[in-house]
Amino acid sequence: MRHPVPLTIDRPALVSAVLVRVPAGFPSPAQDSFDDGRIDLNEVLIRDVTSTFILRVTGDSMEGIGIYSGDEVLVDRSLTPQDGDVVIAVLDGDFTIKTLHVHPDRVVLHPENPAYPDVEVPSLSTLHIWGVVVYGIRHINQRKLH
């Protein structure tokens, strides 16, 4: 099994930014503008570079919360997982992305798709919460950019 490697950041990931609120409902003439300029995505998205990884999602078990096959998720291993967090879990050696539910008598890995059952972690299984998902990167246009 291949294990993820940490992000390596040797320079800022600067993107041009015109920060304007864009209505997703009805068009609106009123727009709250922010400072125009550049944003360093490393500063905005990454809290701890040595503990942050990007993983590509396969499968459709998390579509209910907008995580689709082919998307990438930004995972922070320095965060302590809590009930309700979307996590990368390693269950008996296999990686999976699920919502973590911690009950007094059991731990459940919950898929966000009704086509899949909850995974109640058996007491003899080995469960390791590898990291907490902090951002999702959704591919809107599937054209290759490079």
Side-chain angles (χ1 to χ4, degrees):
M1 165 175 35
R2 284 182 38 202
H3 292 280
V5 294
L7 292 172
T8 314
I9 298 175
D10 55 359
R11 61 189 166 96
L14 297 176
V15 295
S16 294
V18 179
L19 297 178
V20 175
R21 295 182 194 271
V22 179
F26 291 104
S28 170
Q31 296 183 4
D32 291 333
S33 293
F34 296 93
D35 294 333
D36 291 347
R38 294 169 91 51
I39 295 176
D40 181 351
L41 293 178
N42 298 320
E43 287 181 17
V44 174
L45 301 177
I46 299 171
R47 192 175 69 88
D48 181 351
V49 69
T50 61
S51 299
T52 302
F53 296 75
I54 294 179
L55 302 176
R56 180 163 291 135
V57 175
T58 59
D60 61 355
S61 72
M62 298 302 284
E63 286 184 352
I65 58 169
I67 300 174
Y68 295 89
S69 191
D71 288 354
E72 283 86 24
V73 289
L74 207 61
V75 179
D76 188 337
R77 295 194 72 195
S78 70
L79 296 176
T80 301
Q82 298 179 3
D83 181 60
D85 283 346
V86 175
V87 299
I88 303 298
V90 183
L91 180 60
D92 292 331
D94 293 324
F95 280 85
T96 188
I97 179 172
K98 298 288 184 278
T99 300
L100 177 67
H101 290 296
V102 181
H103 302 280
D105 59 337
R106 68 192 192 290
V107 173
V108 175
L109 299 175
H110 176 70
E112 298 292 344
N113 182 334
Y116 295 90
D118 283 347
V119 178
E120 239 183 87
V121 179
S123 61
L124 296 178
S125 291
T126 302
L127 174 67
H128 174 70
I129 303 302
W130 193 85
V132 176
V133 175
V134 291
Y135 291 101
I137 302 171
R138 181 97 258 285
H139 294 258
I140 303 301
N141 188 331
Q142 297 300 322
R143 277 186 279 174
K144 289 198 177 231
L145 300 177
H146 301 282

